[in-house]
């Protein structure tokens, strides 16, 4: 069950990230141009950087014994709408 973030997630926590992403409109209709609102299930790695360079880093696979991550994603902080921890 997902809940709103009340504490900072730790490396390896399962999270749901909701973010805005670029969406290309192949028809070229300016009236229909808007960003996509997406959700992803992932493992939290870290918040990195500061200011305009801040980013959320997640992974699809997290090796619990070694701490290695595979399939990493980076979200610019300004695009992240929410981070929910999974219990």
């Amino acid at each position: 069950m997902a809940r709103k973030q009340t504490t900072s997630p730790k490396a390896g926590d399962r999270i749901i990230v909701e973010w805005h992403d670029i969406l290309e409109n192949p028809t070229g209709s300016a009236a229909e141009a808007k960003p996509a609102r997406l959700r992803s299930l992932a493992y939290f790695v870290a918040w990195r950087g500061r200011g305009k360079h801040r980013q959320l880093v997640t992974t699809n696979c997290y090796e619990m014994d070694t701490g290695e991550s595979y399939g990493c994603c980076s979200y610019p902080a300004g695009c992240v709408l929410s981070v929910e921890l999974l219990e």
Side-chain angles (χ1 to χ4, degrees):
M1 170 155 211
R3 62 180 167 84
K4 285 291 183 189
Q5 180 178 336
T6 57
T7 60
S8 297
K10 298 177 298 299
D13 284 349
R14 291 183 338 152
I15 61 172
I16 295 176
V17 181
E18 188 171 324
W19 79 97
H20 275 140
D21 200 355
I22 295 170
L23 181 64
E24 182 178 345
N25 182 345
T27 65
S29 171
E32 295 177 24
K34 63 180 182 177
R37 189 171 174 170
L38 303 173
R39 288 173 59 96
S40 180
L41 174 63
Y43 290 98
F44 178 80
V45 174
W47 282 102
R48 294 195 177 135
R50 296 188 182 278
K52 68 180 181 176
H53 300 291
R54 188 161 171 80
Q55 60 181 314
L56 169 64
V57 180
T58 67
T59 183
N60 296 328
C61 297
Y62 185 80
E63 174 58 53
M64 300 305 284
D65 293 333
T66 65
E68 290 187 64
S69 300
Y70 306 96
C72 294
C73 294
S74 173
Y75 306 80
C79 296
V80 176
L81 301 173
S82 67
V83 176
E84 297 177 29
L85 293 172
L86 294 177
E87 295 181 2

